[in-house]
Amino acid sequence: MDSLNGFRSNEETPSDQYNRVIELLQRKQESPHVKLCTMQFLEEALHYVINCHRENPSRHLFCTSELTAITIEMLPLFAIPNPELMIIQFRQIIEEELRQCFLCVKVFHAEQKQLYQRYVKVYTNEKENADKFFTNLKKWIKSRVLGELEMIKQNLEQVDPLQLIRLENFPNSAVTTTAFLEVLLDPMLLISLNNLFVEILLHFKADESFKLTCYYLPGIFVVALHEKAEVRNWARLSLQRMTKPLDMKEFQSCNFTSSIQAILQKLKGLDNTPDKASIQFILTKDLAEAWKGVKFILSVMDQNTILKSFFERDLNIILILCDFLQSFSNIKEPIFIEILGCLEILLDKFGIQFWYSISYPPIPFFQSLFTARSSIRTNSSSSKKLDGIFIKFLLKLRQIIPNRDIKPLDETASEETIMMTILAENQNVMEDIYIECHSSSYLVNNSRLNLQLRGLLWTNVIIDMFEGLILFDEYYAENNVRLLKCIHKIILMDTIETGRHLDKDLLAFFNDSLMKLQKLMNRFLKKLYEKDSRIIASVLPIHEISSSMVHFLFSTNGSFMIECLTLLKKLYPMNTYAEWVQQCTTPIIEGILDILNTFVKWTDIRCDTFKLAGSIQQVLLNVFSSPIFGDKGISKNHSLSQDIILLIFRYWKGLWHAFTHVFKKYDDLVFATVHREVITQISSYAEFAIAILKQHSNPVFSTIDPEDLTHPCYQTLKYIIGLLECNNRDLIKRLLQLTCDILYVLTKYKLTIENTLYVKLMRVSNESESHLNGEERNDLHTALSKHVSNEHLIGSMCEDNESSYMDTSSSSNHFTEPIKEYKKSIKHGNEKKKKVYKKVRFA
């Protein structure tokens, strides 16, 4: 290199020398394959940096910004065999500055990795040489750090532990070295230097000041999962005492990514990875401790750094968690507790954005959590610690559900309060999902996620509470009653056929959840039956749970009905239904009304209520008809309070509302092929409605306004007309009887039907395509004969084609006679209309 000295003038200023070196560096980078450019740069740079060090030793070659680019490009001088004196001097300067200045160490490690990436791209044909050089450079780093750690070990009693972990120099210290921090900066050094590093750390661990509290290093994350408890506890205490979170700027300044990837690979259990060194860290084999270490790491990172490092596609912490939970049928409680801790931190840091960051379906993930928790409770005699932690997790989950604005709950609230609050807030969520699964639309993301998460939360809380239901202590009676009320709607639901809805995940979730809940409720009823009747009465007061028992009776799940009936017979062995209705009239009827209203609502929005309709008809007819309207039913009691009278009237209206919706549902299907089951159901409802209509004269209704009493019947009549055109004789017979009975009841109360309805009924009875026979037409005409109140209508019908309405057959005589009489009264000036033709328009 001395041959190049002629290019250097003794009169050059330091600024001129610097510019000269930078110019040569640019030439070298522009012409990397021109050896002369490289040699000229190295010659000039070597003299320049040595002179800089002589003139001002405090201007370190790596941490002085204007010298960094020059110095890093001089690293190939380390590869020269038998180096001359100036190169040896350069190496000594580098070694001394790296030993004393941790900032130089940070710059050196970052820059040499970037230099390797540049060399690989530039010297594509010499990659093997580049790899060999940087392998040797790593060996030099390891040898240097090893020597310094050995020096520390030999002088442990003289070393001030603070100097091992601080950035500042300690010029007066007996031992000054950055080696301890350098191992934490480049945790790959731990692979071969672990024992020496641990020995030094354990010597000073008792010193309270021996903690990293102001800056982050990648190795501290690895050490937080170390195999030795003392070592990982030291790292975790350091993380706990950090004064600020790890932000993206600091994250990018060091190679944190490889350390975190190594940790995630450990958790995932990968054996074959591209970077085999990353799985050679000496980490704990205790999975609970491993997840605990991750929890400490997550706690000190901000949202951006977590996204950058823990949510990569191949090593996504949520995916790892889910795979882990699903692969262990008997997960241990300590592991699960630490997993929940990790999730709590993520929920805290991300809030509602968590759902858009995890890149994984939330339902299967969180379902795996609840399943794991249930498994632990099943296999553990006591899980109070887990219960408390899980409740805190539910609180956080509750607060970040999209499209919800709820008041935060105090974390000190009791477990019971929190669970019941969650149930109350999401009371109707399963019904919302049930309705949505019958829809042909597809929810937008936020609404869909809202339903899924609320459904998941509600379902698992209700399961959790049912599994912990206490049926031997009356102290829990109020809670038990509240819990049963939460499942009223669920009891009435049935699984939904697959393939009906676009959202297969939501459909699967609903069906799975419903089946789990049904099994749980069936076990509850059986468990309850095993108790003594006195205990049942104390832990579940019959007056309080009657509404719930009614729902069980009406369930489409046959086992619920059987178990409920068995239980009722145990409580009322003599005259089960009558005694029960007599004792609990109000809650029973309120329960029935709730069921009828639910049925109407679901039918209106086109849910499949066929099974529920059948259950309602059977239970009302066979169980409640006699105790309410029978000869010895409560409606025959002359000393009923006005509240009970009004309640029975509400029951009357609720029944007719249900009748209306059953007939309305099939009104449009009369010309289509109708299944035998549908025909049977409509026929049964018609027969039931006929029986109920007979109760209009029941003394209990004596104080009810006739118009209010008959209005529900009239509404039902509107939807019978279309069904009269069906081709099933048995159904026509029952529907015709119901139609005539309703018309006669209206006549009895001096009420008439609207003209439009009258015309429709007449056309049904007179059309040639009608399926009514002659006798049935006569019956309908007779029932209609008192329902003409519009002179214009009569006149127009008389002027119409007589073959349609005014033929001389016996089937029309019953219709024409009332009209003739009415016209005759008008002709003689009789303007006074009889009450029998009073016209009432029903809304």
Side-chain angles (χ1 to χ4, degrees):
M1 289 189 179
D2 289 338
S3 63
L4 299 174
N5 288 346
F7 291 98
R8 195 180 309 108
S9 170
N10 293 329
E11 297 180 358
E12 281 185 325
T13 64
S15 177
D16 292 335
Q17 292 175 11
Y18 174 75
N19 291 334
R20 169 72 177 163
V21 172
I22 294 298
E23 180 184 351
L24 291 172
L25 174 60
Q26 290 173 349
R27 288 183 191 174
K28 172 185 177 294
Q29 291 174 339
E30 290 169 359
S31 304
H33 299 287
V34 179
K35 188 174 182 180
L36 179 62
C37 292
T38 300
M39 295 299 293
Q40 287 179 336
F41 164 72
L42 291 174
E43 173 75 13
E44 290 297 322
L46 188 60
H47 283 86
Y48 176 70
V49 297
I50 290 176
N51 287 335
C52 286
H53 178 72
R54 286 174 184 162
E55 293 174 6
N56 186 358
S58 64
R59 293 181 72 233
H60 294 173
L61 303 187
F62 281 115
C63 68
T64 303
S65 58
E66 61 266 26
L67 298 178
T68 302
I70 297 172
T71 306
I72 200 68
E73 290 287 347
M74 296 172 66
L75 285 182
L77 292 175
F78 279 75
I80 297 177
N82 304 315
E84 60 187 64
L85 181 61
M86 288 189 71
I87 296 177
I88 294 173
Q89 288 179 341
F90 171 71
R91 290 183 181 180
Q92 290 173 342
I93 294 169
I94 293 295
E95 288 181 359
E96 181 66 18
E97 291 182 352
L98 289 176
R99 186 177 68 83
Q100 293 182 352
C101 177
F102 183 63
L103 185 54
C104 280
V105 173
K106 288 184 70 175
V107 173
F108 167 67
H109 278 272
E111 291 292 337
Q112 61 98 4
K113 288 174 183 174
Q114 292 182 19
L115 182 66
Y116 173 73
Q117 298 299 329
R118 291 203 302 272
Y119 273 29
V120 169
K121 291 180 179 178
V122 173
Y123 303 106
T124 55
N125 296 327
E126 301 179 55
K127 184 178 182 300
E128 186 176 345
N129 290 334
D131 287 341
K132 184 177 181 181
F133 166 69
F134 281 96
T135 299
N136 290 331
L137 186 62
K138 288 180 181 179
K139 289 179 180 178
W140 172 79
I141 295 171
K142 174 185 170 182
S143 175
R144 177 177 56 79
V145 174
L146 174 62
E148 292 179 22
L149 290 178
E150 289 285 1
M151 181 180 62
I152 296 173
K153 179 182 175 181
Q154 293 170 10
N155 297 274
L156 283 175
E157 301 305 324
Q158 289 77 41
V159 172
D160 180 351
L162 288 181
Q163 70 137 324
L164 298 179
I165 58 173
R166 286 189 178 174
L167 297 177
E168 306 95 277
N169 293 335
F170 286 79
N172 299 320
S173 174
V175 178
T176 301
T177 178
T178 60
F180 189 84
L181 289 178
E182 189 166 0
V183 172
L184 294 175
L185 176 68
D186 184 6
M188 293 301 173
L189 292 168
L190 272 172
I191 296 171
S192 56
L193 303 177
N194 177 72
N195 292 339
L196 190 55
F197 174 84
V198 169
E199 187 177 349
I200 295 170
L201 187 150
L202 293 181
H203 181 80
F204 295 112
K205 72 178 180 67
D207 192 322
E208 280 298 311
S209 62
F210 186 61
K211 304 288 185 300
L212 291 178
T213 57
C214 300
Y215 50 91
Y216 294 92
L217 296 174
I220 201 75
F221 288 175
V222 174
V223 175
L225 278 75
H226 198 274
E227 66 171 356
K228 284 189 175 293
E230 301 97 321
V231 176
R232 59 177 181 263
N233 288 339
W234 172 83
R236 293 169 187 180
L237 279 172
S238 294
L239 291 174
Q240 276 185 317
R241 297 181 184 181
M242 287 292 179
T243 55
K244 59 183 179 62
L246 175 63
D247 57 23
M248 186 57 69
K249 181 179 179 181
E250 193 168 2
F251 181 84
Q252 292 175 336
S253 69
C254 299
N255 186 21
F256 283 92
T257 302
S258 61
S259 297
I260 293 173
Q261 285 179 345
I263 292 169
L264 290 174
Q265 286 167 354
K266 168 69 176 179
L267 295 175
K268 191 174 182 181
L270 294 180
D271 295 322
N272 299 311
T273 57
D275 184 6
K276 292 192 175 183
S278 65
I279 64 170
Q280 296 177 24
F281 290 126
I282 304 173
L283 303 180
T284 178
K285 295 179 181 179
D286 185 330
L287 285 172
E289 284 297 325
W291 282 108
K292 188 174 184 178
V294 172
K295 181 177 69 176
F296 276 96
I297 294 169
L298 290 171
S299 68
V300 299
M301 301 176 77
D302 68 13
Q303 181 178 333
N304 289 330
T305 54
I306 291 175
L307 273 177
K308 177 72 174 176
S309 53
F310 280 93
F311 288 92
E312 292 296 322
R313 181 178 300 175
D314 296 330
L315 287 172
N316 186 311
I317 188 171
I318 299 299
L319 181 60
I320 293 172
L321 268 172
C322 199
D323 289 345
F324 178 79
L325 291 171
Q326 292 175 354
S327 61
F328 284 85
S329 57
N330 294 315
I331 186 171
K332 294 181 180 179
E333 182 175 331
I335 301 174
F336 189 65
I337 286 174
E338 299 306 333
I339 286 174
L340 286 179
C342 291
L343 285 172
E344 271 194 64
I345 292 171
L346 292 174
L347 296 182
D348 275 338
K349 290 183 179 290
F350 283 82
I352 197 171
Q353 291 303 314
F354 177 80
W355 312 116
Y356 312 109
S357 304
I358 62 175
S359 303
Y360 193 86
I363 291 299
F365 171 59
F366 280 102
Q367 187 59 60
S368 64
L369 281 175
F370 287 109
T371 302
R373 195 258 176 136
S374 178
S375 173
I376 292 171
R377 292 190 68 177
T378 302
N379 299 320
S380 174
S381 57
S382 175
S383 56
K384 289 186 177 180
K385 181 181 179 181
L386 175 59
D387 290 343
I389 294 172
F390 198 73
I391 286 296
K392 285 182 63 180
F393 170 72
L394 291 182
L395 272 178
K396 296 187 184 300
L397 180 60
R398 161 187 176 268
Q399 288 170 218
I400 64 166
I401 294 177
N403 296 349
R404 300 209 72 199
D405 185 17
I406 55 175
K407 295 180 180 179
L409 270 174
D410 191 342
E411 289 190 7
T412 60
S414 68
E415 178 180 346
E416 177 185 296
T417 299
I418 293 170
M419 300 282 252
M420 292 307 298
T421 300
I422 289 173
L423 291 181
E425 290 171 345
N426 302 283
Q427 179 65 52
N428 298 319
V429 66
M430 289 305 288
E431 183 181 22
D432 293 341
I433 294 175
Y434 179 71
I435 292 170
E436 180 57 31
C437 285
H438 282 94
S439 168
S440 58
S441 61
Y442 192 87
L443 285 171
V444 295
N445 286 340
N446 273 4
S447 300
R448 178 172 176 261
L449 186 59
N450 173 282
L451 269 186
Q452 287 178 326
L453 290 172
R454 287 173 54 222
L456 186 71
L457 194 58
W458 186 91
T459 301
N460 285 279
V461 168
I462 201 81
I463 289 174
D464 197 75
M465 295 198 73
F466 259 101
E467 287 178 342
L469 205 61
I470 297 175
L471 295 175
F472 56 82
D473 191 338
E474 61 183 291
Y475 172 79
Y476 297 95
E478 182 180 350
N479 224 36
N480 294 343
V481 170
R482 289 170 62 194
L483 191 58
L484 283 174
K485 288 180 179 178
C486 290
I487 60 171
H488 284 182
K489 294 288 193 297
I490 291 287
I491 295 171
L492 303 177
M493 294 176 188
D494 194 16
T495 53
I496 304 171
E497 294 178 10
T498 55
R500 179 174 297 188
H501 189 247
L502 293 172
D503 194 338
K504 304 302 181 187
D505 290 339
L506 192 64
L507 189 64
F509 167 73
F510 172 80
N511 285 332
D512 291 344
S513 299
L514 184 62
M515 286 188 285
K516 287 179 184 176
L517 287 166
Q518 286 179 339
K519 288 180 181 178
L520 194 66
M521 289 183 280
N522 203 30
R523 287 202 303 267
F524 158 74
L525 289 172
K526 289 181 178 179
K527 185 178 178 182
L528 189 63
Y529 176 74
E530 294 171 357
K531 303 293 180 183
D532 184 88
S533 58
R534 288 171 297 178
I535 295 178
I536 296 173
S538 63
V539 297
L540 287 170
I542 189 63
H543 194 272
E544 298 292 331
I545 66 162
S546 285
S547 179
S548 301
M549 299 302 284
V550 167
H551 281 75
F552 278 116
L553 281 176
F554 280 85
S555 172
T556 57
N557 186 314
S559 61
F560 286 175
M561 182 185 296
I562 294 170
E563 295 293 343
C564 186
L565 286 174
T566 306
L567 182 61
L568 285 171
K569 287 179 180 178
K570 184 172 185 177
L571 295 172
Y572 300 99
M574 299 301 294
N575 192 355
T576 303
Y577 306 137
E579 286 183 39
W580 183 34
V581 173
Q582 287 284 350
Q583 184 180 345
C584 306
T585 303
T586 299
I588 288 174
I589 295 181
E590 291 287 4
I592 295 173
L593 288 173
D594 182 54
I595 292 167
L596 294 175
N597 289 334
T598 299
F599 167 73
V600 167
K601 175 184 176 182
W602 291 354
T603 303
D604 274 344
I605 54 184
R606 298 186 179 278
C607 292
D608 184 358
T609 53
F610 181 79
K611 286 186 180 179
L612 182 58
S615 179
I616 288 172
Q617 187 269 332
Q618 290 179 28
V619 175
L620 288 178
L621 183 62
N622 299 323
V623 176
F624 292 107
S625 184
S626 178
I628 295 177
F629 287 129
D631 293 338
K632 296 182 180 180
I634 57 171
S635 64
K636 298 299 190 289
N637 187 340
H638 294 282
S639 59
L640 291 176
S641 68
Q642 188 61 28
D643 287 342
I644 296 297
I645 291 173
L646 292 176
L647 184 63
I648 295 174
F649 174 55
R650 284 174 56 209
Y651 173 61
W652 163 274
K653 291 198 297 182
L655 288 173
W656 285 101
H657 204 192
F659 298 155
T660 298
H661 278 73
V662 170
F663 298 138
K664 178 183 177 182
K665 181 176 182 179
Y666 299 110
D667 188 27
D668 296 332
L669 300 176
V670 292
F671 295 112
T673 302
V674 182
H675 291 292
R676 169 56 57 180
E677 292 86 349
V678 173
I679 295 292
T680 302
Q681 186 172 98
I682 300 173
S683 182
S684 299
Y685 263 89
E687 186 176 3
F688 184 33
I690 291 168
I692 292 297
L693 188 61
K694 294 176 181 177
Q695 303 299 324
H696 73 88
S697 58
N698 194 306
V700 77
F701 297 136
S702 60
T703 59
I704 305 298
D705 186 291
E707 292 186 25
D708 291 337
L709 184 67
T710 56
H711 174 265
C713 312
Y714 177 77
Q715 293 295 334
T716 301
L717 182 62
K718 291 181 178 180
Y719 294 99
I720 297 176
I721 299 172
L723 292 170
L724 285 171
E725 298 180 76
C726 73
N727 57 8
N728 185 281
R729 293 296 308 152
D730 291 337
L731 180 57
I732 290 174
K733 185 176 180 180
R734 284 190 173 83
L735 290 173
L736 181 65
Q737 182 183 347
L738 178 58
T739 300
C740 293
D741 287 352
I742 292 174
L743 291 171
Y744 283 128
V745 168
L746 293 174
T747 301
K748 177 179 178 179
Y749 290 110
K750 301 180 180 179
L751 302 169
T752 61
I753 62 175
E754 287 181 338
N755 295 332
T756 53
L757 189 58
Y758 178 90
V759 171
K760 287 181 180 179
L761 283 168
M762 286 304 303
R763 285 178 178 167
V764 168
S765 67
N766 285 284
E767 285 180 352
S768 59
E769 295 180 0
S770 172
H771 294 285
L772 300 182
N773 59 33
E775 184 179 351
E776 289 167 343
R777 292 185 183 187
N778 286 338
D779 291 342
L780 182 55
H781 290 165
T782 301
L784 279 168
S785 63
K786 303 297 182 180
H787 287 270
V788 182
S789 60
N790 188 307
E791 179 184 353
H792 175 71
L793 173 68
I794 296 169
S796 63
M797 292 181 72
C798 290
E799 292 168 4
D800 268 349
N801 187 338
E802 293 189 2
S803 64
S804 298
Y805 295 102
M806 304 296 290
D807 58 42
T808 58
S809 67
S810 60
S811 63
S812 65
N813 289 339
H814 290 284
F815 168 57
T816 56
E817 289 303 323
I819 295 177
K820 291 177 181 177
E821 290 296 323
Y822 189 74
K823 289 182 72 177
K824 185 177 179 181
S825 67
I826 295 174
K827 184 176 180 180
H828 287 84
N830 183 8
E831 301 296 333
K832 187 182 291 184
K833 298 182 180 179
K834 299 177 183 180
K835 280 188 177 181
V836 72
Y837 294 115
K838 174 186 176 185
K839 183 164 181 291
V840 179
R841 290 188 178 273
F842 293 96

